[in-house]
């Protein structure tokens, strides 16, 4: 698997594939400078060699991984959006609306907070 399209092509459920594609396309369009990468068979976005946000799939949800510090910073907003979370990921149920504003704010937080970072992970 080398591209986001390869990742999407693994999804048999058309509605789920369209939802995941919508999220990826939103980020592509709003943040064209971000590099698209497939790591561990998951789509990820990076900037200047550092991780910004990644996604994975589960039976009941899309898992969004912006790193633990971002989840802690936006914990109340995540819960207000109706999403559950762990220390390292946010769950967007397949039946949930996607809060694109929240995703954008988390990406922008990472872009600002990781400006001079040279490592992939915090």
């Amino acid at each position: 698997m080398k591209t986001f399209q390869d990742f999407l092509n693994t999804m048999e459920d058309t509605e789920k594939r369209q939802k995941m594609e919508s999220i990826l396309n939103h980020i592509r369009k709003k943040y064209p400078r971000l590099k698209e990468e497939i790591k561990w068979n998951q789509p990820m976005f990076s900037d200047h060699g550092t991780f910004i946000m990644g996604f994975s799939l589960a039976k009941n949800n899309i898992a969004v991984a912006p790193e633990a510090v971002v989840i802690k910073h936006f914990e109340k907003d995540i819960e207000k959006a109706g999403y559950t979370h762990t220390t390292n990921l946010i769950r967007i149920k397949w039946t949930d609306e996607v809060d694109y504003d929240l995703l954008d704010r988390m990406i922008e937080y990472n872009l600002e907070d990781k400006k001079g970072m040279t490592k992939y992970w915090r």
Side-chain angles (χ1 to χ4, degrees), residues 2-62:
K2 294 183 180 191
T3 67
F4 282 10
Q5 192 58 53
D6 293 339
F7 171 79
L8 292 167
N9 289 343
T10 67
M11 299 178 70
E12 295 179 12
D13 186 307
T14 304
E15 286 182 35
K16 290 178 180 179
R17 183 174 52 248
Q18 288 173 342
K19 187 170 204 154
M20 187 72 247
E21 187 171 25
S22 175
I23 292 169
L24 296 174
N25 284 339
H26 169 82
I27 295 170
R28 284 172 161 155
K29 189 174 186 176
K30 184 138 187 181
Y31 304 97
R33 81 182 216 204
L34 295 181
K35 180 179 178 186
E36 299 177 17
E37 301 181 287
I38 297 289
K39 292 186 181 277
W40 304 281
N41 293 321
Q42 301 171 10
M44 299 187 178
F45 290 94
S46 65
D47 184 49
H48 69 278
T50 189
F51 176 82
I52 299 300
M53 185 173 281
F55 299 89
S56 60
L57 305 175
K59 180 180 178 179
N60 297 317
N61 59 269
I62 297 169

Side-chain angles (χ1 to χ4, degrees), residues 52-99:
I52 299 300
M53 185 173 281
F55 299 89
S56 60
L57 305 175
K59 180 180 178 179
N60 297 317
N61 59 269
I62 297 169
V64 182
E67 286 191 295
V69 68
V70 179
I71 293 172
K72 182 117 178 108
H73 183 81
F74 288 97
E75 188 171 18
K76 289 180 182 163
D77 294 326
I78 292 164
E79 292 168 358
K80 185 178 176 186
Y83 304 146
T84 60
H85 63 88
T86 66
T87 303
N88 293 309
L89 64 85
I90 301 159
R91 295 180 200 93
I92 301 176
K93 291 181 191 170
W94 292 110
T95 55
D96 288 342
E97 291 294 319
V98 177
D99 187 337

